[in-house]
Amino acid sequence: MENKTQRVSEIKSIALVAHDKKKEELVDWAYRFRESLKGHQLYATGTTGAILEKRIQLPVRKLVSGPLGGDQQIGAMITENKLDLLVFFLDPMQSQPHDPDIKALLRIAAVWNIPFACNQSTAEFVISSPLMSRDHERLVPDYEQYLLSRPIE
Ligand SMILES: O=C(CO)COP(=O)(O)O
């Protein structure tokens, strides 16, 4: 698949997600990096978003709760080029009823070359990057070229 470059604005769209036993960890992380998150557009799955908004006092656009389709909504945002960063504190010690949705989200984030941090230390590296506060370029699949390469009878 061919790639092309895509401009990413200095104001990022960031999705924040945590499984139940990881929610406190995400709140602590978000609180610690509140100043870095401020000014970006924040999204979250339903429960995570409600907790975050209350605890870090920043506006968060809340999607549907994960088990009811929130992970898929974030995946759709990625395919529509509406997301720049995914911070997803997933729980590797508990099975989730919507495991296929989680796998699909991580796959689509990989397809579209979206930075995704699935634990606290990676999230710390990412949020500390100088790219967080300036515009930059990202390689993405060249969908137009992809379509041209498809045989159509
Ligand atoms: O399950 C989730 C992600 O897979 C998170 O959903 P909630 O934020 O609604 O708990």
Side-chain angles (χ1 to χ4, degrees), residues 16-20 23 26 44-51 63-72 74 88-90 96-99 101-102 105:
L16 303 167
V17 188
H19 287 146
D20 284 353
K23 283 184 169 59
L26 182 67
T45 45
T47 322
T48 306
I51 295 171
L63 304 166
V64 171
S65 182
L68 294 172
D71 301 75
Q72 294 205 28
I74 297 172
F88 188 169
F89 285 13
L90 43 82
Q96 304 290 332
H98 55 305
D99 190 53
D101 297 10
I102 297 161
L105 171 57

PDB file of all heavy atoms in Angstrom, residues 16-20 23 26 44-51 63-72 74 88-90 96-99 101-102 105, ligand 1:
ATOM      1  N   LEU A  16      -9.369   9.326  24.810  1.00  0.00           N
ATOM      2  CA  LEU A  16      -8.908   8.762  26.080  1.00  0.00           C
ATOM      3  C   LEU A  16      -9.869   7.644  26.484  1.00  0.00           C
ATOM      4  O   LEU A  16     -11.085   7.860  26.555  1.00  0.00           O
ATOM      5  CB  LEU A  16      -8.903   9.857  27.152  1.00  0.00           C
ATOM      6  CG  LEU A  16      -8.047  11.094  26.827  1.00  0.00           C
ATOM      7  CD1 LEU A  16      -8.349  12.229  27.789  1.00  0.00           C
ATOM      8  CD2 LEU A  16      -6.574  10.752  26.861  1.00  0.00           C
ATOM      9  N   VAL A  17      -9.313   6.487  26.733  1.00  0.00           N
ATOM     10  CA  VAL A  17     -10.137   5.310  27.038  1.00  0.00           C
ATOM     11  C   VAL A  17      -9.435   4.491  28.124  1.00  0.00           C
ATOM     12  O   VAL A  17      -8.210   4.359  28.099  1.00  0.00           O
ATOM     13  CB  VAL A  17     -10.310   4.402  25.784  1.00  0.00           C
ATOM     14  CG1 VAL A  17     -11.316   3.293  26.051  1.00  0.00           C
ATOM     15  CG2 VAL A  17     -10.681   5.189  24.554  1.00  0.00           C
ATOM     16  N   ALA A  18     -10.204   3.943  29.037  1.00  0.00           N
ATOM     17  CA  ALA A  18      -9.609   3.029  30.021  1.00  0.00           C
ATOM     18  C   ALA A  18     -10.616   1.958  30.412  1.00  0.00           C
ATOM     19  O   ALA A  18     -11.814   2.246  30.583  1.00  0.00           O
ATOM     20  CB  ALA A  18      -9.174   3.794  31.267  1.00  0.00           C
ATOM     21  N   HIS A  19     -10.134   0.753  30.557  1.00  0.00           N
ATOM     22  CA  HIS A  19     -10.980  -0.296  31.106  1.00  0.00           C
ATOM     23  C   HIS A  19     -11.156  -0.049  32.611  1.00  0.00           C
ATOM     24  O   HIS A  19     -10.392   0.713  33.226  1.00  0.00           O
ATOM     25  CB  HIS A  19     -10.382  -1.679  30.816  1.00  0.00           C
ATOM     26  CG  HIS A  19     -10.529  -2.046  29.370  1.00  0.00           C
ATOM     27  ND1 HIS A  19      -9.603  -2.777  28.679  1.00  0.00           N
ATOM     28  CD2 HIS A  19     -11.513  -1.725  28.481  1.00  0.00           C
ATOM     29  CE1 HIS A  19     -10.022  -2.925  27.430  1.00  0.00           C
ATOM     30  NE2 HIS A  19     -11.166  -2.287  27.287  1.00  0.00           N
ATOM     31  N   ASP A  20     -12.154  -0.695  33.186  1.00  0.00           N
ATOM     32  CA  ASP A  20     -12.578  -0.317  34.539  1.00  0.00           C
ATOM     33  C   ASP A  20     -11.435  -0.282  35.564  1.00  0.00           C
ATOM     34  O   ASP A  20     -11.293   0.681  36.295  1.00  0.00           O
ATOM     35  CB  ASP A  20     -13.697  -1.243  35.018  1.00  0.00           C
ATOM     36  CG  ASP A  20     -15.020  -0.879  34.337  1.00  0.00           C
ATOM     37  OD1 ASP A  20     -15.062   0.155  33.612  1.00  0.00           O
ATOM     38  OD2 ASP A  20     -16.015  -1.609  34.509  1.00  0.00           O
ATOM     39  N   LYS A  23      -9.071   2.779  35.105  1.00  0.00           N
ATOM     40  CA  LYS A  23      -9.607   4.142  35.032  1.00  0.00           C
ATOM     41  C   LYS A  23      -8.888   5.088  35.991  1.00  0.00           C
ATOM     42  O   LYS A  23      -8.567   6.210  35.637  1.00  0.00           O
ATOM     43  CB  LYS A  23     -11.120   4.131  35.278  1.00  0.00           C
ATOM     44  CG  LYS A  23     -11.906   3.642  34.049  1.00  0.00           C
ATOM     45  CD  LYS A  23     -13.394   3.714  34.256  1.00  0.00           C
ATOM     46  CE  LYS A  23     -14.208   3.487  32.993  1.00  0.00           C
ATOM     47  NZ  LYS A  23     -14.030   2.220  32.291  1.00  0.00           N
ATOM     48  N   LEU A  26      -5.662   6.136  34.525  1.00  0.00           N
ATOM     49  CA  LEU A  26      -5.820   7.133  33.456  1.00  0.00           C
ATOM     50  C   LEU A  26      -6.124   8.515  34.044  1.00  0.00           C
ATOM     51  O   LEU A  26      -5.575   9.521  33.590  1.00  0.00           O
ATOM     52  CB  LEU A  26      -6.918   6.720  32.472  1.00  0.00           C
ATOM     53  CG  LEU A  26      -7.116   7.691  31.299  1.00  0.00           C
ATOM     54  CD1 LEU A  26      -5.888   7.696  30.374  1.00  0.00           C
ATOM     55  CD2 LEU A  26      -8.369   7.360  30.495  1.00  0.00           C
ATOM     56  N   ALA A  44     -13.697  10.723  24.628  1.00  0.00           N
ATOM     57  CA  ALA A  44     -13.540   9.529  25.471  1.00  0.00           C
ATOM     58  C   ALA A  44     -14.763   8.638  25.309  1.00  0.00           C
ATOM     59  O   ALA A  44     -15.852   9.123  24.952  1.00  0.00           O
ATOM     60  CB  ALA A  44     -13.372   9.927  26.934  1.00  0.00           C
ATOM     61  N   THR A  45     -14.575   7.367  25.602  1.00  0.00           N
ATOM     62  CA  THR A  45     -15.746   6.486  25.688  1.00  0.00           C
ATOM     63  C   THR A  45     -16.566   6.923  26.907  1.00  0.00           C
ATOM     64  O   THR A  45     -16.049   7.568  27.829  1.00  0.00           O
ATOM     65  CB  THR A  45     -15.300   5.019  25.819  1.00  0.00           C
ATOM     66  OG1 THR A  45     -14.240   4.927  26.774  1.00  0.00           O
ATOM     67  CG2 THR A  45     -14.828   4.467  24.486  1.00  0.00           C
ATOM     68  N   GLY A  46     -17.851   6.534  26.920  1.00  0.00           N
ATOM     69  CA  GLY A  46     -18.826   7.094  27.857  1.00  0.00           C
ATOM     70  C   GLY A  46     -18.423   7.193  29.311  1.00  0.00           C
ATOM     71  O   GLY A  46     -18.407   8.287  29.894  1.00  0.00           O
ATOM     72  N   THR A  47     -18.113   6.055  29.932  1.00  0.00           N
ATOM     73  CA  THR A  47     -17.832   6.083  31.371  1.00  0.00           C
ATOM     74  C   THR A  47     -16.510   6.776  31.653  1.00  0.00           C
ATOM     75  O   THR A  47     -16.405   7.612  32.565  1.00  0.00           O
ATOM     76  CB  THR A  47     -17.803   4.641  31.933  1.00  0.00           C
ATOM     77  OG1 THR A  47     -18.821   3.871  31.291  1.00  0.00           O
ATOM     78  CG2 THR A  47     -18.024   4.623  33.422  1.00  0.00           C
ATOM     79  N   THR A  48     -15.500   6.443  30.862  1.00  0.00           N
ATOM     80  CA  THR A  48     -14.191   7.088  31.035  1.00  0.00           C
ATOM     81  C   THR A  48     -14.355   8.599  30.932  1.00  0.00           C
ATOM     82  O   THR A  48     -13.805   9.361  31.733  1.00  0.00           O
ATOM     83  CB  THR A  48     -13.201   6.595  29.947  1.00  0.00           C
ATOM     84  OG1 THR A  48     -13.144   5.175  29.971  1.00  0.00           O
ATOM     85  CG2 THR A  48     -11.812   7.155  30.153  1.00  0.00           C
ATOM     86  N   GLY A  49     -15.126   9.052  29.942  1.00  0.00           N
ATOM     87  CA  GLY A  49     -15.307  10.489  29.717  1.00  0.00           C
ATOM     88  C   GLY A  49     -15.989  11.173  30.879  1.00  0.00           C
ATOM     89  O   GLY A  49     -15.587  12.262  31.310  1.00  0.00           O
ATOM     90  N   ALA A  50     -17.030  10.524  31.422  1.00  0.00           N
ATOM     91  CA  ALA A  50     -17.762  11.127  32.540  1.00  0.00           C
ATOM     92  C   ALA A  50     -16.843  11.274  33.759  1.00  0.00           C
ATOM     93  O   ALA A  50     -16.835  12.309  34.432  1.00  0.00           O
ATOM     94  CB  ALA A  50     -18.979  10.267  32.871  1.00  0.00           C
ATOM     95  N   ILE A  51     -16.043  10.242  34.024  1.00  0.00           N
ATOM     96  CA  ILE A  51     -15.128  10.290  35.180  1.00  0.00           C
ATOM     97  C   ILE A  51     -14.059  11.364  34.960  1.00  0.00           C
ATOM     98  O   ILE A  51     -13.779  12.183  35.828  1.00  0.00           O
ATOM     99  CB  ILE A  51     -14.483   8.902  35.424  1.00  0.00           C
ATOM    100  CG1 ILE A  51     -15.562   7.893  35.824  1.00  0.00           C
ATOM    101  CG2 ILE A  51     -13.390   8.979  36.472  1.00  0.00           C
ATOM    102  CD1 ILE A  51     -15.089   6.454  35.888  1.00  0.00           C
ATOM    103  N   LEU A  63     -18.300   9.749  23.866  1.00  0.00           N
ATOM    104  CA  LEU A  63     -18.878   8.812  22.897  1.00  0.00           C
ATOM    105  C   LEU A  63     -19.679   7.784  23.697  1.00  0.00           C
ATOM    106  O   LEU A  63     -19.848   7.918  24.906  1.00  0.00           O
ATOM    107  CB  LEU A  63     -17.753   8.169  22.076  1.00  0.00           C
ATOM    108  CG  LEU A  63     -16.829   9.177  21.366  1.00  0.00           C
ATOM    109  CD1 LEU A  63     -15.566   8.503  20.879  1.00  0.00           C
ATOM    110  CD2 LEU A  63     -17.562   9.837  20.195  1.00  0.00           C
ATOM    111  N   VAL A  64     -20.139   6.753  23.023  1.00  0.00           N
ATOM    112  CA  VAL A  64     -20.895   5.691  23.692  1.00  0.00           C
ATOM    113  C   VAL A  64     -19.929   4.863  24.555  1.00  0.00           C
ATOM    114  O   VAL A  64     -18.729   4.796  24.277  1.00  0.00           O
ATOM    115  CB  VAL A  64     -21.602   4.834  22.607  1.00  0.00           C
ATOM    116  CG1 VAL A  64     -22.227   3.585  23.188  1.00  0.00           C
ATOM    117  CG2 VAL A  64     -22.644   5.674  21.889  1.00  0.00           C
ATOM    118  N   SER A  65     -20.425   4.271  25.604  1.00  0.00           N
ATOM    119  CA  SER A  65     -19.601   3.401  26.448  1.00  0.00           C
ATOM    120  C   SER A  65     -19.007   2.250  25.612  1.00  0.00           C
ATOM    121  O   SER A  65     -19.660   1.739  24.700  1.00  0.00           O
ATOM    122  CB  SER A  65     -20.470   2.845  27.580  1.00  0.00           C
ATOM    123  OG  SER A  65     -19.693   2.040  28.428  1.00  0.00           O
ATOM    124  N   GLY A  66     -17.772   1.866  25.982  1.00  0.00           N
ATOM    125  CA  GLY A  66     -17.049   0.864  25.188  1.00  0.00           C
ATOM    126  C   GLY A  66     -17.840  -0.388  24.818  1.00  0.00           C
ATOM    127  O   GLY A  66     -17.983  -0.701  23.630  1.00  0.00           O
ATOM    128  N   PRO A  67     -18.391  -1.099  25.813  1.00  0.00           N
ATOM    129  CA  PRO A  67     -19.092  -2.347  25.479  1.00  0.00           C
ATOM    130  C   PRO A  67     -20.310  -2.131  24.585  1.00  0.00           C
ATOM    131  O   PRO A  67     -20.820  -3.070  23.967  1.00  0.00           O
ATOM    132  CB  PRO A  67     -19.527  -2.882  26.857  1.00  0.00           C
ATOM    133  CG  PRO A  67     -18.588  -2.256  27.829  1.00  0.00           C
ATOM    134  CD  PRO A  67     -18.258  -0.902  27.268  1.00  0.00           C
ATOM    135  N   LEU A  68     -20.777  -0.895  24.494  1.00  0.00           N
ATOM    136  CA  LEU A  68     -21.951  -0.613  23.654  1.00  0.00           C
ATOM    137  C   LEU A  68     -21.578   0.011  22.311  1.00  0.00           C
ATOM    138  O   LEU A  68     -22.459   0.470  21.566  1.00  0.00           O
ATOM    139  CB  LEU A  68     -22.935   0.288  24.411  1.00  0.00           C
ATOM    140  CG  LEU A  68     -23.555  -0.403  25.620  1.00  0.00           C
ATOM    141  CD1 LEU A  68     -24.358   0.563  26.458  1.00  0.00           C
ATOM    142  CD2 LEU A  68     -24.442  -1.558  25.173  1.00  0.00           C
ATOM    143  N   GLY A  69     -20.279   0.075  22.012  1.00  0.00           N
ATOM    144  CA  GLY A  69     -19.880   0.537  20.676  1.00  0.00           C
ATOM    145  C   GLY A  69     -18.916   1.706  20.634  1.00  0.00           C
ATOM    146  O   GLY A  69     -18.544   2.163  19.543  1.00  0.00           O
ATOM    147  N   GLY A  70     -18.492   2.194  21.820  1.00  0.00           N
ATOM    148  CA  GLY A  70     -17.591   3.356  21.845  1.00  0.00           C
ATOM    149  C   GLY A  70     -16.264   3.121  21.134  1.00  0.00           C
ATOM    150  O   GLY A  70     -15.746   4.022  20.465  1.00  0.00           O
ATOM    151  N   ASP A  71     -15.716   1.902  21.280  1.00  0.00           N
ATOM    152  CA  ASP A  71     -14.438   1.613  20.602  1.00  0.00           C
ATOM    153  C   ASP A  71     -14.626   1.700  19.078  1.00  0.00           C
ATOM    154  O   ASP A  71     -13.764   2.198  18.357  1.00  0.00           O
ATOM    155  CB  ASP A  71     -13.945   0.201  20.966  1.00  0.00           C
ATOM    156  CG  ASP A  71     -13.738   0.039  22.452  1.00  0.00           C
ATOM    157  OD1 ASP A  71     -14.751  -0.083  23.178  1.00  0.00           O
ATOM    158  OD2 ASP A  71     -12.583   0.040  22.894  1.00  0.00           O
ATOM    159  N   GLN A  72     -15.770   1.247  18.617  1.00  0.00           N
ATOM    160  CA  GLN A  72     -16.032   1.297  17.176  1.00  0.00           C
ATOM    161  C   GLN A  72     -16.210   2.737  16.707  1.00  0.00           C
ATOM    162  O   GLN A  72     -15.831   3.086  15.587  1.00  0.00           O
ATOM    163  CB  GLN A  72     -17.269   0.472  16.844  1.00  0.00           C
ATOM    164  CG  GLN A  72     -17.040  -0.999  17.094  1.00  0.00           C
ATOM    165  CD  GLN A  72     -17.957  -1.864  16.253  1.00  0.00           C
ATOM    166  OE1 GLN A  72     -18.374  -1.476  15.163  1.00  0.00           O
ATOM    167  NE2 GLN A  72     -18.272  -3.035  16.754  1.00  0.00           N
ATOM    168  N   ILE A  74     -14.651   5.288  17.930  1.00  0.00           N
ATOM    169  CA  ILE A  74     -13.296   5.851  17.809  1.00  0.00           C
ATOM    170  C   ILE A  74     -12.635   5.330  16.532  1.00  0.00           C
ATOM    171  O   ILE A  74     -11.978   6.077  15.805  1.00  0.00           O
ATOM    172  CB  ILE A  74     -12.446   5.526  19.059  1.00  0.00           C
ATOM    173  CG1 ILE A  74     -13.078   6.189  20.285  1.00  0.00           C
ATOM    174  CG2 ILE A  74     -11.009   6.007  18.885  1.00  0.00           C
ATOM    175  CD1 ILE A  74     -12.441   5.801  21.604  1.00  0.00           C
ATOM    176  N   PHE A  88      -5.152   4.609  25.352  1.00  0.00           N
ATOM    177  CA  PHE A  88      -6.093   3.549  25.719  1.00  0.00           C
ATOM    178  C   PHE A  88      -5.437   2.664  26.768  1.00  0.00           C
ATOM    179  O   PHE A  88      -4.605   1.809  26.440  1.00  0.00           O
ATOM    180  CB  PHE A  88      -6.454   2.743  24.462  1.00  0.00           C
ATOM    181  CG  PHE A  88      -7.554   1.726  24.638  1.00  0.00           C
ATOM    182  CD1 PHE A  88      -8.104   1.105  23.530  1.00  0.00           C
ATOM    183  CD2 PHE A  88      -8.047   1.366  25.883  1.00  0.00           C
ATOM    184  CE1 PHE A  88      -9.123   0.161  23.651  1.00  0.00           C
ATOM    185  CE2 PHE A  88      -9.057   0.427  26.027  1.00  0.00           C
ATOM    186  CZ  PHE A  88      -9.590  -0.172  24.909  1.00  0.00           C
ATOM    187  N   PHE A  89      -5.772   2.886  28.040  1.00  0.00           N
ATOM    188  CA  PHE A  89      -5.232   2.048  29.107  1.00  0.00           C
ATOM    189  C   PHE A  89      -6.093   0.787  29.172  1.00  0.00           C
ATOM    190  O   PHE A  89      -7.130   0.745  29.837  1.00  0.00           O
ATOM    191  CB  PHE A  89      -5.263   2.796  30.442  1.00  0.00           C
ATOM    192  CG  PHE A  89      -4.200   3.862  30.572  1.00  0.00           C
ATOM    193  CD1 PHE A  89      -3.468   4.294  29.481  1.00  0.00           C
ATOM    194  CD2 PHE A  89      -3.916   4.442  31.805  1.00  0.00           C
ATOM    195  CE1 PHE A  89      -2.479   5.284  29.593  1.00  0.00           C
ATOM    196  CE2 PHE A  89      -2.940   5.423  31.935  1.00  0.00           C
ATOM    197  CZ  PHE A  89      -2.231   5.845  30.828  1.00  0.00           C
ATOM    198  N   LEU A  90      -5.637  -0.215  28.435  1.00  0.00           N
ATOM    199  CA  LEU A  90      -6.421  -1.449  28.427  1.00  0.00           C
ATOM    200  C   LEU A  90      -5.965  -2.364  29.551  1.00  0.00           C
ATOM    201  O   LEU A  90      -4.863  -2.246  30.060  1.00  0.00           O
ATOM    202  CB  LEU A  90      -6.390  -2.119  27.058  1.00  0.00           C
ATOM    203  CG  LEU A  90      -5.099  -2.224  26.278  1.00  0.00           C
ATOM    204  CD1 LEU A  90      -4.299  -3.382  26.748  1.00  0.00           C
ATOM    205  CD2 LEU A  90      -5.426  -2.363  24.803  1.00  0.00           C
ATOM    206  N   GLN A  96     -12.801  -8.959  28.178  1.00  0.00           N
ATOM    207  CA  GLN A  96     -13.834  -7.950  27.955  1.00  0.00           C
ATOM    208  C   GLN A  96     -14.887  -8.527  27.011  1.00  0.00           C
ATOM    209  O   GLN A  96     -14.544  -9.206  26.034  1.00  0.00           O
ATOM    210  CB  GLN A  96     -13.212  -6.702  27.288  1.00  0.00           C
ATOM    211  CG  GLN A  96     -12.055  -6.084  28.053  1.00  0.00           C
ATOM    212  CD  GLN A  96     -12.475  -5.411  29.338  1.00  0.00           C
ATOM    213  OE1 GLN A  96     -13.606  -4.943  29.463  1.00  0.00           O
ATOM    214  NE2 GLN A  96     -11.568  -5.364  30.311  1.00  0.00           N
ATOM    215  N   PRO A  97     -16.163  -8.239  27.268  1.00  0.00           N
ATOM    216  CA  PRO A  97     -17.211  -8.784  26.380  1.00  0.00           C
ATOM    217  C   PRO A  97     -17.082  -8.265  24.950  1.00  0.00           C
ATOM    218  O   PRO A  97     -17.502  -8.929  24.007  1.00  0.00           O
ATOM    219  CB  PRO A  97     -18.516  -8.283  27.021  1.00  0.00           C
ATOM    220  CG  PRO A  97     -18.122  -7.137  27.898  1.00  0.00           C
ATOM    221  CD  PRO A  97     -16.717  -7.404  28.340  1.00  0.00           C
ATOM    222  N   HIS A  98     -16.472  -7.074  24.798  1.00  0.00           N
ATOM    223  CA  HIS A  98     -16.359  -6.467  23.466  1.00  0.00           C
ATOM    224  C   HIS A  98     -14.936  -6.572  22.936  1.00  0.00           C
ATOM    225  O   HIS A  98     -14.458  -5.665  22.239  1.00  0.00           O
ATOM    226  CB  HIS A  98     -16.829  -5.010  23.517  1.00  0.00           C
ATOM    227  CG  HIS A  98     -16.118  -4.176  24.560  1.00  0.00           C
ATOM    228  ND1 HIS A  98     -16.058  -4.516  25.892  1.00  0.00           N
ATOM    229  CD2 HIS A  98     -15.424  -3.013  24.463  1.00  0.00           C
ATOM    230  CE1 HIS A  98     -15.354  -3.606  26.552  1.00  0.00           C
ATOM    231  NE2 HIS A  98     -14.967  -2.685  25.701  1.00  0.00           N
ATOM    232  N   ASP A  99     -14.269  -7.669  23.269  1.00  0.00           N
ATOM    233  CA  ASP A  99     -12.888  -7.867  22.821  1.00  0.00           C
ATOM    234  C   ASP A  99     -12.706  -7.687  21.294  1.00  0.00           C
ATOM    235  O   ASP A  99     -11.717  -7.080  20.866  1.00  0.00           O
ATOM    236  CB  ASP A  99     -12.403  -9.252  23.263  1.00  0.00           C
ATOM    237  CG  ASP A  99     -10.920  -9.412  23.035  1.00  0.00           C
ATOM    238  OD1 ASP A  99     -10.161  -8.542  23.506  1.00  0.00           O
ATOM    239  OD2 ASP A  99     -10.507 -10.363  22.354  1.00  0.00           O
ATOM    240  N   ASP A 101     -14.201  -5.664  19.363  1.00  0.00           N
ATOM    241  CA  ASP A 101     -14.197  -4.218  19.077  1.00  0.00           C
ATOM    242  C   ASP A 101     -12.843  -3.594  19.433  1.00  0.00           C
ATOM    243  O   ASP A 101     -12.344  -2.713  18.736  1.00  0.00           O
ATOM    244  CB  ASP A 101     -15.278  -3.489  19.894  1.00  0.00           C
ATOM    245  CG  ASP A 101     -16.688  -3.941  19.558  1.00  0.00           C
ATOM    246  OD1 ASP A 101     -16.839  -4.946  18.838  1.00  0.00           O
ATOM    247  OD2 ASP A 101     -17.637  -3.294  20.022  1.00  0.00           O
ATOM    248  N   ILE A 102     -12.279  -4.065  20.554  1.00  0.00           N
ATOM    249  CA  ILE A 102     -10.989  -3.523  21.011  1.00  0.00           C
ATOM    250  C   ILE A 102      -9.909  -3.887  20.003  1.00  0.00           C
ATOM    251  O   ILE A 102      -9.109  -3.049  19.578  1.00  0.00           O
ATOM    252  CB  ILE A 102     -10.656  -4.081  22.420  1.00  0.00           C
ATOM    253  CG1 ILE A 102     -11.705  -3.617  23.421  1.00  0.00           C
ATOM    254  CG2 ILE A 102      -9.263  -3.656  22.853  1.00  0.00           C
ATOM    255  CD1 ILE A 102     -11.766  -4.443  24.690  1.00  0.00           C
ATOM    256  N   LEU A 105     -10.272  -1.788  16.965  1.00  0.00           N
ATOM    257  CA  LEU A 105      -9.798  -0.413  17.156  1.00  0.00           C
ATOM    258  C   LEU A 105      -8.274  -0.352  17.056  1.00  0.00           C
ATOM    259  O   LEU A 105      -7.727   0.518  16.367  1.00  0.00           O
ATOM    260  CB  LEU A 105     -10.279   0.115  18.521  1.00  0.00           C
ATOM    261  CG  LEU A 105      -9.688   1.454  18.966  1.00  0.00           C
ATOM    262  CD1 LEU A 105      -9.948   2.551  17.936  1.00  0.00           C
ATOM    263  CD2 LEU A 105     -10.243   1.861  20.324  1.00  0.00           C
TER     264      LEU A 105
HETATM  265  O1  LIG B   1     -14.663  -0.535  27.501  1.00  0.00           O
HETATM  266  C1  LIG B   1     -14.043   0.445  27.194  1.00  0.00           C
HETATM  267  C2  LIG B   1     -13.051   0.410  26.109  1.00  0.00           C
HETATM  268  O2  LIG B   1     -12.939  -0.840  25.496  1.00  0.00           O
HETATM  269  C3  LIG B   1     -14.241   1.728  27.903  1.00  0.00           C
HETATM  270  O3  LIG B   1     -15.595   2.047  27.989  1.00  0.00           O
HETATM  271  P1  LIG B   1     -16.119   2.991  29.135  1.00  0.00           P
HETATM  272  O4  LIG B   1     -15.268   4.220  29.116  1.00  0.00           O
HETATM  273  O5  LIG B   1     -17.540   3.318  28.808  1.00  0.00           O
HETATM  274  O6  LIG B   1     -15.974   2.227  30.414  1.00  0.00           O
END
